[in-house]
């Protein structure tokens, strides 16, 4: 056990890192740090670059700390994004039909000039578990954010998945494949009327 503070250890570590880099031993440095720790450090670095996300009354999506940069999306993409932003706990694609009315509400609100029947048909395709429409929309949303920021930062803004393992009794295991927007909710400002 050491009597050094975390700050003192960090200063020593910084010096050791500089020495290894100066000696051209990046491979040893990577081995010492470990790939999983390096990945965690990259994620932590991305957190420091996160912007507040503002959803305006007229459903515009603005990255406040990126010079009020608007994230431009079509109404259907915006509706999908707002649905997942509204559910930080996550939604399984196969259970999207349970959120049909909420998704329809967002789409109607963001596409005021579109034909209501066309909107309803599009929503039906999105919530159909046998249709690939939701994957296509999420892929497009991802590319929109990647045009604005790097991958590690974008991972907090895009709709991405995580799997939760559940145990039902001693022998049954099942997985819930949830999709959500990972941005810390204290960075989300909602002026819109949530459906």
């Amino acid at each position: 056990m050491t009597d050094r503070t975390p700050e003192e250890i960090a200063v020593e570590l910084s010096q050791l890192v500089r020495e290894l880099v100066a000696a051209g031993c990046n491979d040893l440095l990577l081995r010492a740090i470990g790939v999983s720790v390096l990945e965690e450090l990259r994620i932590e670095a991305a957190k420091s670059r996160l912007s507040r996300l503002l959803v305006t009354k007229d459903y515009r999506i603005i990255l406040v700390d990126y010079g009020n940069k608007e994230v431009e999306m079509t109404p259907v993409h915006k509706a999908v994004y707002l649905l997942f932003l509204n559910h930080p706990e996550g939604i399984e694609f196969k259970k999207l039909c349970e959120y049909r009315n909420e998704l329809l509400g967002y789409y109607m609100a963001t596409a005021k000039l579109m034909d209501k029947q066309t909107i309803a048909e599009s929503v039906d395709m999105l919530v159909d578990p046998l249709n690939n429409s939701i994957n296509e929309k999420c892929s497009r949303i991802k590319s929109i954010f990647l045009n604005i920021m790097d991958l590690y930062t974008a991972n907090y803004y895009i709709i991405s998945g995580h799997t939760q393992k559940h145990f039902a009794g001693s022998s049954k295991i099942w997985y819930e494949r949830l999709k959500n927007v990972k941005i810390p909710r204290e960075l989300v400002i909602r002026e819109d009327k949530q459906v």
Side-chain angles (χ1 to χ4, degrees), residues 100-162:
R100 183 189 182 283
N101 289 338
E102 185 178 353
L103 182 57
L104 182 63
Y106 280 126
Y107 200 178
M108 293 278 195
T110 59
K112 294 184 187 287
L113 301 177
M114 283 182 66
D115 174 61
K116 307 275 188 244
Q117 183 62 33
T118 304
I119 291 172
E121 289 170 3
S122 181
V123 168
D124 288 339
M125 287 192 317
L126 284 166
V127 301
D128 180 354
L130 302 177
N131 192 309
N132 197 40
S133 184
I134 189 65
N135 288 303
E136 293 166 358
K137 302 305 180 269
C138 290
S139 179
R140 178 67 188 128
I141 290 166
K142 179 179 179 178
S143 69
I144 290 168
F145 278 102
L146 286 175
N147 284 330
I148 298 171
M149 58 190 61
D150 64 83
L151 177 62
Y152 286 99
T153 306
N155 278 325
Y156 287 90
Y157 295 93
I158 64 174
I159 298 166
S160 60
H162 67 280

Side-chain angles (χ1 to χ4, degrees), residues 155-195:
N155 278 325
Y156 287 90
Y157 295 93
I158 64 174
I159 298 166
S160 60
H162 67 280
T163 302
Q164 287 186 346
K165 191 175 187 178
H166 296 278
F167 298 93
S170 60
S171 63
K172 298 223 178 199
I173 299 174
W174 59 281
Y175 296 91
E176 193 174 24
R177 289 170 176 79
L178 298 166
K179 304 284 185 177
N180 67 353
V181 179
K182 294 177 185 156
I183 185 171
R185 287 313 184 259
E186 64 269 11
L187 294 178
V188 178
I189 306 159
R190 301 285 301 253
E191 294 178 346
D192 65 315
K193 180 184 169 203
Q194 295 181 36
V195 178

